[in-house]
Amino acid sequence: MKKVGLLAAALFCLQGAYSQTVEKVTSPADWVNTLMGTDSKVSLSNGNTYPAIALPWGMNFWMPQTNTMGNGWAYQYTADKIRGFKQTHQPSPWINDYGQFAIMPVTGTVKFDQNKRASWFSHKSEVAKPYYYSVYLADPDVTTEITPTERAAQLRFTFPQTDSAFIVVDAFDKGSYIKIIPAEKKIIGYTTKNSGGVPANFKNYFVITFDKPFTVADTWHDSVLVKGQLELQANHTGAVVGFKTSKGEKVGIKTASSFISFEQAELNLQREIGQDSFDATCQKAKDTWNKELGRLAVEGGTVDQVRTFYSSLYRVLLFPRKFYEYNNKNEVVHYSPFNGEVLPGYMFTDNGFWDTFRAVHPFFTLMYPSLSAKIMEGLANTYKESGWLPEWASPGHRDCMVGSNSASLIADAYLKGIRGYDINTLYQAILKNTENEGPLSSVGRLGVKYYNTLGYVPYDVNVNENAARTLEYAYDDFTILQLAKALNRPKKEIALFEKRSQNYRNLFDPETKLMRGKNKDGKFQAPFNPFKWGDAFTEGNSWHYTWSVFHDIQGLSDLMGGREAFVGMLDSVFNMPPIFDESYYGTVIHEIREMQIMNMGQYAHGNQPIQHMIYLYNYAGQPWKTQYWIRQVMNKLYHATPDGYCGDEDNGQTSAWYVFSAMGFYPVCPGTPQYVFGTPLFPKLTMTLEDGKKMVINAPGNSEQNLYVQSASLNGQPYAKNWISHQDLQKGGALEFRMGANPEKTRGTDPSAYPYSYSNSKK
């Protein structure tokens, strides 16, 4: 009885720790769990993330590597061995890595093979923060610590007493070079290993300096140790340096890399670390994260909510990657992953716009407009250097996903007042996309001739995922329409994109009230199974993609038969069983499995196409349903744990949904200056905008039960709309929500409260 009582008390205390409220967050970086989403595998993604040891948008990340060289799932939470500590540029396991090399401590005998040097470890002796990582390696009896800068890092190894302490450097296969310089306590090298999207001269040059002289200095290639040789170039090279160490002795490493040259790598090291100690670099990294994460200050949430919020915000701030460096004149330069030249100006990479146009880049336009301006300059440079806008870059063009959603990024940034880049070049690049197929299916517009003549990409002309392409092209054409008007383009051009923005109508099937593939002859594809994934759609089915009319929800509602029918279709998404047809893929892909096991009907939050759909009740006078389902998704599908996501995190997009939703609104239609209301998660959230203004979002009384918005006010004045403008948020002030436990079914019901729809703008 006594043991049972103690157990019950312990469980009560644990529950209390998670339900107690956090009144103030003083160091948001310490609330981040970088392991969120790392319990993933090919067949089931709980995030497909890795614990990135990095600064926001840093050129280089670091990570512990549990899997073998070349495996996209480089760190898996269920693993029990670490093979090395890797500099990485991986944006996704599906896209994989480039510019990578690894460092690993060993003791006793020299072990440089990735499997032989692997050491047992436990999460119980692992500390994983954005600015600092530490783990105890059991086999060599060594503790490894890492702290980052944007292009450099410091590593620190605490060794036992031994005359056989070694550090292995692995420059990886597919062509690498290594050189040991004992007099300078230095190793330099380069790696060419990549996963595509690079020119022939691609190299990542690295420099590693040590704070202790070497007693051993050998190189190796493949499986052969070459004793006494200090320089090697081969398919797979590496180095081993050794020392005598006393118990608890710390050996420090400073390292940096460059895509330009060894000299630039040295410059990056001196500029970003110089004479700083490990602890000084760590403090600077922590301060940087606290500054950026602290731009959104939350109060009154539970421990779990605060952890999940800042862990998600950390993910939003990782990509796109700064693919530029500062030369010896302090000028911004970059190695072009498109033509192999070193050129002036900004460049960003490691981003799939099919994912991130939805919420990540709108978050930057709201909170980081100067960053957004640099990203726009980078897009213009990409077009000048390759002839095309990027849609999935890593580091150059990659053949992945559909749409030409770069138009959405560019239009949204310009229409929200962001300047300081060549908008005319970007607009010409957008126009080129609308008339041409690219060298890869993901660049330009695949099926564009059909789209421009028929108003849709047909199902039967061997263009895969044709309905998805049509819907995304139509939305992108709407954003081009808005940009064309802002740039005072010719009336004929404006009329063309206005017409094309309505091409979504060509795929609407009035019989099923769903989007459906259509053949070249104008007949709908048959037989039609709305639960069939892929085929006419991209990583989803018709129930997911039907809502991809971001710019004209009223038009979609009208096609479905009006407000009541539209709401009925929205409700059906959650009311249907999670059945599926996987025949197009020939196997149950992980996105399907994730929808199935979440038990939310056909709602597949683990993938991007449907993530905005919950907010659409605001367009039909039932905002309380948006509020209900948002809180359901946030509570059920997100946690700051290794299995904390419900599918691929994808460069910050699934995280950005959570961050925006916690703020109380979401950018359903980038390219319009509106954010659609949901329900705020915290009693108080303070946004510190880039110019220092503050927008305070108050929701006193907010709780798990009080999730429904009863009324709203903006700067003390009653606010009846179901959305708030970008301009109002940028002004700062106070947005207040009165919360309650029951739906308020009179607020937001009048069409005058609805967010923007193209069809309403024409009435």
Side-chain angles (χ1 to χ4, degrees):
M1 287 294 290
K2 186 175 182 181
K3 288 183 179 179
V4 172
L6 289 172
L7 178 61
L11 289 172
F12 177 81
C13 290
L14 183 62
Q15 291 170 349
Y18 278 85
S19 61
Q20 70 183 18
T21 58
V22 179
E23 296 309 317
K24 187 176 182 180
V25 175
T26 56
S27 179
D30 289 317
W31 288 83
V32 173
N33 182 5
T34 65
L35 300 179
M36 181 176 174
T38 59
D39 187 7
S40 299
K41 52 190 176 183
V42 176
S43 58
L44 186 70
S45 173
N46 286 311
N48 269 339
T49 64
Y50 57 86
I53 310 153
L55 291 191
W57 313 289
M59 190 180 86
N60 300 330
F61 297 174
W62 283 82
M63 66 179 296
Q65 181 186 349
T66 65
N67 247 323
T68 53
M69 182 174 58
N71 190 314
W73 284 261
Y75 179 96
Q76 287 180 296
Y77 188 80
T78 53
D80 46 34
K81 286 188 176 183
I82 287 176
R83 287 178 165 83
F85 300 94
K86 183 171 78 161
Q87 181 184 275
T88 178
H89 300 92
Q90 180 170 298
S92 154
W94 310 105
I95 292 293
N96 218 306
D97 208 349
Y98 65 92
Q100 58 215 282
F101 66 95
I103 298 173
M104 183 68 175
V106 297
T107 56
T109 58
V110 172
K111 298 178 283 289
F112 56 86
D113 175 270
Q114 63 174 334
N115 294 319
K116 293 177 181 177
R117 73 188 186 221
S119 171
W120 285 83
F121 82 106
S122 168
H123 299 297
K124 298 178 181 67
S125 61
E126 183 182 38
V127 178
K129 298 180 182 296
Y131 61 89
Y132 172 81
Y133 178 87
S134 173
V135 69
Y136 173 69
L137 301 175
D139 291 299
D141 188 23
V142 172
T143 296
T144 297
E145 301 169 276
I146 308 174
T147 190
T149 72
E150 287 188 345
R151 297 166 189 84
Q154 293 212 51
L155 291 81
R156 186 164 66 185
F157 305 98
T158 303
F159 280 96
Q161 181 174 347
T162 177
D163 59 1
S164 302
F166 304 102
I167 291 177
V168 176
V169 176
D170 189 340
F172 284 19
D173 62 358
K174 308 301 182 185
S176 55
Y177 166 82
I178 202 84
K179 182 179 181 180
I180 307 173
I181 310 172
E184 299 179 37
K185 297 181 289 186
K186 180 188 295 185
I187 297 174
I188 64 171
Y190 65 70
T191 173
T192 66
K193 189 174 179 66
N194 67 84
S195 304
V198 300
N201 68 344
F202 168 80
K203 291 183 176 70
N204 186 37
Y205 301 89
F206 59 83
V207 55
I208 306 170
T209 64
F210 297 74
D211 65 0
K212 188 176 178 66
F214 311 147
T215 58
V216 173
D218 300 323
T219 55
W220 56 273
H221 66 89
D222 304 304
S223 60
V224 179
L225 181 68
V226 187
K227 291 191 174 183
Q229 186 164 328
L230 301 180
E231 187 174 13
L232 266 180
Q233 183 177 0
N235 173 62
H236 185 180
T237 66
V240 179
V241 293
F243 330 88
K244 292 181 179 179
T245 55
S246 56
K247 184 177 181 180
E249 182 176 350
K250 292 176 168 57
V251 175
I253 282 178
K254 296 177 179 180
T255 180
S257 74
S258 168
F259 294 101
I260 296 173
S261 66
F262 285 121
E263 293 76 16
Q264 183 65 48
E266 290 272 9
L267 189 60
N268 293 342
L269 183 62
Q270 292 307 313
R271 183 188 301 275
E272 298 190 6
I273 293 181
Q275 299 304 310
D276 283 356
S277 67
F278 182 97
D279 292 338
T281 297
C282 188
Q283 187 62 51
K284 287 180 180 179
K286 182 177 182 178
D287 291 345
T288 297
W289 274 111
N290 278 333
K291 176 186 174 184
E292 304 303 353
L293 294 170
R295 294 275 301 277
L296 296 179
V298 302
E299 300 175 39
T302 66
V303 169
D304 186 54
Q305 288 170 341
V306 173
R307 284 175 177 162
T308 305
F309 179 81
Y310 284 114
S311 298
S312 296
L313 183 55
Y314 150 79
R315 292 282 166 196
V316 177
L317 303 183
L318 286 175
F319 297 101
R321 182 183 310 287
K322 294 177 178 178
F323 202 76
Y324 62 85
E325 306 173 53
Y326 294 90
N327 66 16
N328 57 11
K329 297 179 182 178
N330 206 33
E331 298 165 331
V332 176
V333 294
H334 64 271
Y335 165 83
S336 172
F338 304 101
N339 62 22
E341 298 177 19
V342 178
L343 297 165
Y346 291 102
M347 178 64 63
F348 291 81
T349 192
D350 290 329
N351 223 233
F353 295 161
W354 183 84
D355 303 292
T356 59
F357 86 83
R358 304 165 196 269
V360 175
H361 287 278
F363 184 79
F364 297 157
T365 62
L366 177 63
M367 298 299 297
Y368 294 95
S370 61
L371 171 70
S372 186
K374 292 173 184 175
I375 292 171
M376 292 303 112
E377 181 184 326
L379 293 180
N381 287 333
T382 296
Y383 177 66
K384 292 172 185 175
E385 293 162 27
S386 74
W388 299 95
L389 286 168
E391 304 298 338
W392 227 124
S394 180
H397 295 302
R398 302 290 292 277
D399 203 0
C400 186
M401 308 314 291
V402 305
S404 55
N405 297 308
S406 53
S408 174
L409 270 69
I410 295 163
D412 193 50
Y414 190 83
L415 293 166
K416 288 175 179 171
I418 296 171
R419 299 293 186 270
Y421 51 92
D422 186 352
I423 187 61
N424 293 316
T425 292
L426 287 174
Y427 189 77
Q428 291 304 314
I430 288 172
L431 290 183
K432 181 178 179 180
N433 269 2
T434 67
E435 299 295 334
N436 295 277
E437 293 188 349
L440 304 172
S441 69
S442 61
V443 176
R445 289 187 175 183
L446 190 64
V448 68
K449 292 180 180 178
Y450 295 108
Y451 176 82
N452 288 353
T453 54
L454 299 175
Y456 62 95
V457 182
Y459 180 85
D460 58 347
V461 295
N462 295 317
V463 177
N464 66 325
E465 303 170 6
N466 38 80
R469 294 181 193 276
T470 297
L471 294 170
E472 293 195 29
Y473 295 165
Y475 159 68
D476 291 326
D477 284 338
F478 166 79
T479 68
I480 299 170
L481 163 66
Q482 300 302 98
L483 182 57
K485 290 191 291 188
L487 295 175
N488 295 314
R489 299 292 298 180
K491 291 182 179 179
K492 184 177 179 181
E493 188 172 287
I494 290 172
L496 174 64
F497 289 109
E498 187 159 30
K499 179 182 178 182
R500 288 179 179 171
S501 75
Q502 297 300 293
N503 281 342
Y504 73 88
R505 296 175 180 272
N506 296 325
L507 295 190
F508 184 80
D509 172 20
E511 181 181 347
T512 61
K513 299 181 181 178
L514 294 168
M515 296 297 175
R516 182 173 175 180
K518 182 179 280 189
N519 293 329
K520 189 178 178 183
D521 63 6
K523 295 179 181 178
F524 281 113
Q525 165 261 334
F528 174 57
N529 181 354
F531 303 108
K532 186 176 184 179
W533 281 62
D535 200 18
F537 301 99
T538 301
E539 295 182 1
N541 62 33
S542 181
W543 277 104
H544 305 145
Y545 252 97
T546 290
W547 315 106
S548 293
V549 187
F550 312 93
H551 58 294
D552 198 8
I553 301 303
Q554 184 63 54
L556 179 62
S557 176
D558 293 343
L559 288 173
M560 288 181 172
R563 187 189 312 181
E564 189 174 333
F566 178 73
V567 169
M569 292 294 285
L570 289 171
D571 290 342
S572 294
V573 170
F574 298 107
N575 293 335
M576 289 182 294
I579 58 176
F580 56 85
D581 174 357
E582 79 283 14
S583 59
Y584 174 77
Y585 298 108
T587 187
V588 178
I589 62 173
H590 75 92
E591 290 91 347
I592 296 176
R593 190 68 73 204
E594 288 144 18
M595 178 197 76
Q596 181 192 30
I597 65 177
M598 293 306 151
N599 192 28
M600 295 185 77
Q602 286 294 312
Y603 185 70
H605 191 82
N607 210 21
Q608 282 66 39
I610 203 170
Q611 287 181 350
H612 68 293
M613 166 258 167
I614 292 178
Y615 283 88
L616 301 188
Y617 288 105
N618 282 285
Y619 297 73
Q622 296 191 17
W624 59 90
K625 288 185 177 177
T626 289
Q627 296 155 24
Y628 172 80
W629 284 113
I630 285 172
R631 197 61 70 86
Q632 288 292 307
V633 170
M634 297 183 84
N635 289 346
K636 184 177 180 180
L637 305 186
Y638 288 83
H639 296 282
T641 55
D643 64 345
Y645 290 106
C646 51
D648 277 358
E649 198 283 324
D650 283 331
N651 297 161
Q653 169 54 32
T654 300
S655 293
W657 185 96
Y658 187 94
V659 170
F660 264 122
S661 295
M663 295 165 76
F665 46 80
Y666 186 79
V668 168
C669 184
T672 64
Q674 294 185 358
Y675 304 87
V676 180
F677 281 154
T679 176
L681 183 63
F682 297 98
K684 184 178 181 181
L685 184 151
T686 303
M687 302 165 53
T688 300
L689 301 166
E690 196 167 67
D691 62 2
K693 293 190 181 77
K694 295 184 184 294
M695 171 58 78
V696 180
I697 302 167
N698 282 312
N702 195 353
S703 68
E704 185 175 350
Q705 294 75 31
N706 293 344
L707 61 94
Y708 294 105
V709 175
Q710 308 295 297
S711 63
S713 64
L714 180 62
N715 298 325
Q717 299 300 312
Y719 195 84
K721 297 172 183 175
N722 291 346
W723 55 275
I724 188 168
S725 73
H726 182 79
Q727 291 76 12
D728 279 338
L729 289 175
Q730 289 290 307
K731 291 175 185 175
L735 176 64
E736 186 138 344
F737 295 95
R738 186 169 63 86
M739 309 299 290
N742 298 309
E744 173 48 70
K745 297 186 178 182
T746 61
R747 188 190 180 281
T749 59
D750 190 87
S752 63
Y754 298 178
Y756 173 90
S757 283
Y758 169 87
S759 291
N760 288 337
S761 72
K762 306 308 290 184
K763 292 178 180 177

